[in-house]
Amino acid sequence: MSHKISNTYNETMGGAKEKIGHAAHNEHLAGSGAAQKAQAQANQQNQKAQTHAKGVGHNIEGQTQKTAGQVTNDPALEGRGHANDTLGDVQRNF
């Protein structure tokens, strides 16, 4: 979650620098702000992709555990499978 806060901060500050730079006719400040904003947006997309990939992994693990639990008649394993599958859904939709 701290990455999300940091990226939001940098995106906001970069956008503010960019606008102030344009208003003050300071292209160096405007360019610096645009770069900061773009980097924050790229970092945020990267974090989302990583979280989504973890979610897919938990979905696969959960489906495997549920199936193995049903085949071996192991309700605890099946329950862990449901939990991992739900965790994966949450991560993929975050």
Side-chain angles (χ1 to χ4, degrees), residues 6-90:
S6 174
N7 289 329
T8 300
Y9 170 80
N10 282 313
E11 184 177 354
T12 301
M13 291 305 293
K17 282 185 199 177
E18 183 179 13
K19 288 179 183 179
I20 291 169
H22 285 304
H25 302 289
N26 182 338
E27 293 307 312
H28 177 71
L29 182 61
S32 172
Q36 182 178 358
K37 180 179 174 181
Q39 182 64 48
Q41 289 171 335
N43 288 343
Q44 188 65 25
Q45 289 295 49
N46 182 42
Q47 289 297 319
K48 285 182 181 181
Q50 288 179 7
T51 301
H52 183 83
K54 287 179 186 176
V56 170
H58 280 115
N59 284 137
I60 292 168
E61 181 181 14
Q63 291 296 326
T64 303
Q65 288 172 325
K66 286 192 294 188
T67 301
Q70 290 170 351
V71 169
T72 61
N73 198 25
D74 183 348
L77 182 58
E78 191 175 348
R80 284 194 304 275
H82 283 288
N84 275 319
D85 196 30
T86 301
L87 175 60
D89 290 343
V90 170

